[in-house]
Amino acid sequence: MRATNKNIKGTETMNTSEQKTTAKRITRTCADSWELSHIELLSASRRADIVAARDSAILLIKRQTNMTNEAIGKFFNRHVSAITYSLKRSREGLV
């Protein structure tokens, strides 16, 4: 049985370990799709293909989980401003 919490609106929210598992699954899927290793995706590399894959993963994690930008930043070992900028780029179609 999956442990969930109810938020104020009454919808289910995932606990922290479920969010990390989902984020890990999303990053592995994005890495596979872009033909990169999971380590490359999480690296500090600024190579265009890695940045595009990382931005895609960040956007999917934001949409698929209840993780905050701060939590996503911690997962990727990035500052929250980098996550915010990545989401902005993705939403504007700059990826």
Side-chain angles (χ1 to χ4, degrees):
M1 176 181 262
R2 187 171 80 140
T4 58
N5 300 320
K6 296 277 185 179
N7 67 15
I8 295 172
K9 295 178 184 175
T11 59
E12 291 184 357
T13 59
M14 291 184 273
N15 64 35
T16 305
S17 65
E18 285 180 308
Q19 289 177 354
K20 287 181 183 175
T21 301
T22 302
K24 194 174 206 177
R25 195 173 332 131
I26 290 170
T27 55
R28 288 191 187 282
T29 302
C30 282
D32 289 345
S33 296
W34 287 80
E35 298 179 353
L36 300 169
S37 72
H38 188 245
I39 292 170
E40 285 177 306
L41 188 71
L42 297 177
S43 74
S45 174
R46 296 188 331 189
R47 216 172 73 196
D49 60 334
I50 294 174
V51 171
R54 187 183 307 123
D55 286 350
S56 298
I58 289 169
L59 182 62
L60 286 171
I61 290 168
K62 186 67 176 179
R63 288 183 177 174
Q64 300 287 326
T65 70
N66 295 322
M67 290 176 76
T68 63
N69 289 2
E70 291 84 5
I72 296 170
K74 193 172 186 179
F75 180 81
F76 280 92
N77 196 28
R78 302 253 186 300
H79 191 270
V80 64
S81 62
I83 302 304
T84 303
Y85 184 67
S86 170
L87 290 168
K88 182 181 176 185
R89 254 193 333 254
S90 295
R91 290 180 178 141
E92 291 176 354
L94 300 176
V95 175

